[in-house]
Amino acid sequence: MMSKYITTIGEKQYTVELIDATHVSVNDKIYEIDFVVVSGQPVFSLLLNGASFQAEVYPGEEDDLMQVLMRGRLYEALVEDEREKRLSSAAGAAAQSGEFVLRAPMPGLVVKVPVEEGAQVQKGDVLLILESMKMQNELKSPREGKVTRVQVKAGDSVEQRQVMLSVE
Amino acid sequence: MMSKYITTIGEKQYTVELIDATHVSVNDKIYEIDFVVVSGQPVFSLLLNGASFQAEVYPGEEDDLMQVLMRGRLYEALVEDEREKRLSSAAGAAAQSGEFVLRAPMPGLVVKVPVEEGAQVQKGDVLLILESMKMQNELKSPREGKVTRVQVKAGDSVEQRQVMLSVE
Amino acid sequence: MFDKVLIANRGEIAVRIIRACRELGLQTVAVFSEADRNALHVRLADEAYLIGPSPSRESYLQMERILDVARKTKASAIHPGYGFLAERSDFAQACEDSGITFIGPRPSAISAMGDKATARATVIAAGVPVVPGTEDVGNLTNEKLLAAARKIGFPLLIKATAGGGGKGMREVRNIDEMPHLLESARSEALAAFGNGDVYLEKLVEGARHIEFQIMADMEGNTVHLGERECSLQRRHQKLLEEAPSPFIDDDEEFRQRMGEVAVKAAKAVNYLNAGTIEFLVDKDKNFYFLEMNTRLQVEHPITEEVTGIDIVTEQLRIARGRQLSVRQEDVKMQGWAIECRINAEDAHNNFLPSTGYISHHVLPTGPGVRVDTGVFGGFQITPYYDSLVSKLVVKGESRAQAILRMRRALEEYRIVGVKTNIPFHQSILEQARFIAGKFDTRFVEERFSLEEAEGGKETHPEIAAIFATLVAHEQAERSAHIISRGKRDTSNWKWVSRWERMNR
Amino acid sequence: MFDKVLIANRGEIAVRIIRACRELGLQTVAVFSEADRNALHVRLADEAYLIGPSPSRESYLQMERILDVARKTKASAIHPGYGFLAERSDFAQACEDSGITFIGPRPSAISAMGDKATARATVIAAGVPVVPGTEDVGNLTNEKLLAAARKIGFPLLIKATAGGGGKGMREVRNIDEMPHLLESARSEALAAFGNGDVYLEKLVEGARHIEFQIMADMEGNTVHLGERECSLQRRHQKLLEEAPSPFIDDDEEFRQRMGEVAVKAAKAVNYLNAGTIEFLVDKDKNFYFLEMNTRLQVEHPITEEVTGIDIVTEQLRIARGRQLSVRQEDVKMQGWAIECRINAEDAHNNFLPSTGYISHHVLPTGPGVRVDTGVFGGFQITPYYDSLVSKLVVKGESRAQAILRMRRALEEYRIVGVKTNIPFHQSILEQARFIAGKFDTRFVEERFSLEEAEGGKETHPEIAAIFATLVAHEQAERSAHIISRGKRDTSNWKWVSRWERMNR
């Protein structure tokens, strides 16, 4: 059985075809592979035309991206078969904007909220300072927008993943 | 709920009562305990009146003995509740004798079988020499008896757990 | 003389101290918070007692509770590690009052060095150079500051008395721009801290942070064990340390001159046991006393590696009343050691602390590699304590070999479940300026960008794409047969082990 | 000059060599058998190629296949490790013929030292002392043997020419008992090997096995890196080694005298690269050449620890045509190192090899601890290769500290799934004779009993009973609810992880 996937990492797309148990092609170039999961470890080993690679590979927590941790570097890959790819292309960039929700990345104490509801923020502006693990951590806006809701204040304790504020 | 067990290690018997989640008694002496399995590891941690012990504990491969590996030493424990204990006492020492079956402890090559069928052997006599892991290993008789069946000969390859000979 | 030691700490340093005690045949008592029941220090100690809930102020900072455990278990000595109660003179005093040996300096030395003004005055009196400035008088008028500035010389720094984090700080190059900068510093300080007081400090340009390890016994014998280079910092947190310092390198005369001043500073407070004198060093080899850390230092292993002296063992010996096992002339630095602090921090996301369950943990091993850690596969990194996961230490014959070895060790190190700063260390170790030894305390923050550094590195997105595709494919194949697609929210570890069992 | 190295080996030594190559920036090519697809050396190398089925004669001993991989990958050097092809002069020659650098001695040196008679003749000619005897003439008559015995002196050993394993071996105290013992030795040898030939060898009483590490470069510069004490053996397998030897200890003059003889022996065969000269040493400090191992030695790490010299890195440098990085006068032994070979052998059952799946593997870490290993949690120990799981190496300031540290490290070391000889090492390290350094090559077999040693140790059967009961109780409670009782034949690991998930 041959399976064909379109795998996207960053801005690059790779057409990966699984030809048989020991061959794949990537963008039509054929490689000999030997791919195994290392027993007892969440580690995969790949010999690709003899070159040895190992990686941890696991599904992401909240999205469909595969996380590939290889040689100290994390790659996030979207793997789609041809049907899924057509669907997602149709959906298009419509979902690109929308609300950004700042959740607490870990339990902690809100030290300061330097923005107010309605404030205009730029990418990189500090939205909130959270104290955790004996450190003050600045949480920044990933993009330009307007602060819509602020749901915590300085002095509040927050649980992990608690919604703190939103930017639209 | 209180549970009472008779636990045998070597020739010693211990009456172990589980009083509640934080107390046990051993031969009527009460101890405060804090017992947990260490997450991610087959290791148990026990604080016993404050003294800290850790051990790997797992069921034996072929018998009902619990294996306790603690501070580099292996203890084999038979744990019985009161009903089981009465039954096993009744069964008594009847099962002590019977046939000893020598199985291959690992795959290997039979180098030599120094005994013949019908031969009388003493405890500690070499029954068979098995080559494995680049070593010649002498397999000895665990007790006195007569060799009943010899099922392999020098030069044979044997699989792990393959029956090689018997002593009765 | 004690033969049972209570370790009033947790994590890697508690494990480190328990190991040293064990190697000396001393009994050990661990204390732990509710979050730490499974921790390695609890399991390695001979005894272990719960002292309170997870937050450290309710457990590891509870002096009375810890002293109670010591009394109950007849532990007649306490090692405080670093952090928590290590630099609390009241705790050291409370130990002494209870007849318990505090494994560290005398309470008076902790007090003297703990207060910045007192420390400065004490070492100045002993003839130790300090950074010129007015810091101990924080409420001077602009006129007085301008007058003082001429004495200190330029460039200098205006700093907020109430301050921190760079707020209200200004670099001043000459007297003409100073009045203007004073005003803006004061107003920023006022806005940030509600206090407009400022003080002046000479700006040590291209400063390095170099510290000397001190050991002193009860008879007053005091030696230094050479220096550690600690200039690689981010937000005043040390990240990578080495011994010797590439700046001092083979200038043995300079090393001994600094070491003698360090010993002098320690003697000025009648120091006992292990401590560290921190210096700022400028490019012309002028050096200034910064502070003394009156405790075991996080980065003590690199000194152990190059001197062959076990500092924790030596601490225990000293506390038992023994003489130092070395004289100054016996101390030799041989080879080169580097320590990388592996923190649970997301190097790619502003070093945000990362918490979670470490599902998988493979340590680098082999020649010249040492790991000091308190974590293991199955350990939970909680938000209650600092983010140090482990200290990866390598030793090589030369600095070049140590760097190459550290790169190799970082590549082998595998932690799954929390994010770490390993990518940061990997990038630093490839920077030309680091390799050349040409860096100062501002290097990480001002001259280094992880994104830029990684931008230049070889990547393998194509290989990653193949990995991702093969795993996704097998997963899809399996889920079609076995598991409904919606169940993918199981943890990675379970998922992999399920796969593994199916494929074994 | 090569920049890609093929490692013709497996296990810990392949990993060791890959690490050294990586630290020098050299590319690495691994080869592997079917059993080793998952092995660490395959995953750490830059490239890896299957060379055949699991039995080593069909894979790791397949010279041509290995040379083919080298040619295909343009690896212009091969490191053979130890064992397998390491001491095969035909392989070294085949490398040379293919234009591939063999990282080891010249073929002529391997041949000369590989044949016992040639080796003996060569070193005798160079003035190196050997154990007096008649071994190179194995078919002498009783008359000639009696005459030779008078020359050799008593006590002496009669040994079977075809022999091994002590069969046909007799100790002779004087000439009167010799005729009788000759007869019984001959008849035992005849029965055991079908050959009644015997030879004589002087009995070195209370002999120690002490070896010297040699390094030699292409210009003929040859140095020794001091000695290793290897007397703790069982069935001629070394189990625990230390450097320095407690017998030589601080007798520097004796060390240098032996070292000079070792260098002389190496020079006699125009030696190149790393090698080891083994000596028998009697209680009066007479020493005799035993043999030369013309390769990297298993126990090389202890020499690295005390000299600070990385032997594998040095091997690679020498093979690249570089001069030795040290002269004899630069070599200093500092501190004390011990290595325990951790084997998959059941210490409580006649050291029977143990195979199986390592479900759990926690390494000891911390100050002064080094582990060289090729295994990991999830690795399968197969019956195809030797039983070495890892080499646990510690370094201390003194022998006493090294012993205490090794005890601590052995306690921390946890391997579940296969039996190991860790209990053996733990008992040896508590023996008074070992601690006093008073042991010879017969110590383990003649004077040591694991059962007796453990008999005297503190045990905790009561604690074990509590553990067993609590686990059995929880298991019974659970199985009553969830799993039918019959299902208990799942592996421990799965069983525990199931429990864990339920209790998380």
Side-chain angles (χ1 to χ4, degrees), chain A residues 134, chain B residues 47, chain C residues 6-15 17-18 29-43 45 47-69 78-88 90-92 95 102 374 379-380 382-386:
Chain A
K134 296 169 62 183
Chain B
L47 302 181
Chain C
L6 184 148
I7 295 96
N9 217 304
R10 66 178 298 283
E12 68 87 16
I13 198 63
V15 171
I17 297 163
I18 290 170
V29 179
V31 292
F32 62 98
S33 73
E34 285 170 4
D36 278 339
R37 170 62 183 90
N38 269 339
L40 205 52
H41 75 286
V42 173
R43 292 185 282 131
E47 298 172 57
Y49 297 89
L50 179 70
I51 49 165
S54 305
S56 37
R57 65 183 172 282
E58 298 174 43
S59 47
Y60 297 108
L61 291 173
Q62 288 285 333
M63 293 195 227
E64 259 320 305
R65 234 173 274 164
I66 290 169
L67 287 168
D68 279 347
V69 172
I78 292 183
H79 196 307
Y82 54 69
F84 296 135
L85 301 171
E87 289 177 280
R88 291 274 294 270
D90 50 347
F91 183 63
C95 288
F102 179 81
F379 188 76
Q380 185 86 32
T382 65
Y384 301 111
Y385 315 110
D386 72 27

Side-chain angles (χ1 to χ4, degrees), chain B residues 36-84:
Chain B
V36 298
V37 56
V38 177
S39 165
Q41 307 207 323
V43 171
F44 296 85
S45 168
L46 173 68
L47 302 181
L48 184 94
N49 288 353
S52 179
F53 296 91
Q54 62 175 335
E56 280 111 45
V57 186
Y58 45 91
E61 277 177 28
E62 287 174 75
D63 43 37
D64 276 344
L65 298 185
M66 275 287 180
Q67 316 283 309
V68 180
L69 185 60
M70 181 172 66
R71 300 197 176 169
R73 212 186 166 89
L74 184 71
Y75 300 86
E76 297 191 309
L78 176 68
V79 183
E80 297 169 300
D81 62 23
E82 289 177 287
R83 192 185 56 82
E84 288 170 334

Side-chain angles (χ1 to χ4, degrees), chain A residues 64-78:
Chain A
D64 276 344
L65 298 184
M66 275 286 179
Q67 316 282 310
V68 180
L69 184 61
M70 181 171 66
R71 300 196 178 171
R73 213 184 166 88
L74 184 71
Y75 301 85
E76 298 191 310
L78 177 68

Side-chain angles (χ1 to χ4, degrees), chain B residues 3 5 7 9 14 18 31 40 42 44 46 48 56 64 66 72-73 75 77 106-107 132-133 136-139, chain D residues 235 350 352-353 360 383 385 414 416 426 459-465 467-469 473 475 488 492-493 499-500:
Chain B
S3 299
Y5 294 88
T7 297
I9 293 185
Y14 301 90
L18 314 186
Y31 296 96
F44 296 85
L46 173 68
L48 184 94
E56 280 111 45
D64 276 344
M66 275 287 180
R73 212 186 166 89
Y75 300 86
M106 72 211 90
S132 189
M133 295 173 111
Q136 300 216 346
N137 306 290
E138 298 186 339
L139 304 179
Chain D
R235 293 166 70 180
N350 204 27
L352 209 60
H360 188 61
Y385 315 110
R414 308 188 89 75
V416 181
Q426 290 180 312
T459 65
H460 302 276
E462 188 170 336
I463 308 295
F467 269 110
T469 309
H473 173 75
Q475 201 181 1
R488 228 175 55 183
N492 314 328
W493 172 256
W499 183 357
E500 180 195 313

Side-chain angles (χ1 to χ4, degrees), chain C residues 288-332:
Chain C
Y288 308 96
F289 172 88
L290 208 54
E291 59 172 324
M292 180 170 200
N293 293 319
T294 55
R295 53 162 165 86
L296 185 61
Q297 199 89 327
V298 177
E299 60 271 25
H300 74 275
I302 51 176
T303 299
E304 297 183 325
E305 293 300 320
V306 292
T307 62
I309 296 166
D310 185 318
I311 293 172
V312 180
T313 299
E314 198 72 14
Q315 282 196 293
L316 293 163
R317 283 187 187 135
I318 290 170
R320 296 181 103 197
R322 304 261 291 272
Q323 276 194 346
L324 280 176
S325 66
V326 287
R327 291 157 304 170
Q328 189 63 58
E329 59 268 33
D330 303 328
V331 179
K332 296 272 170 287

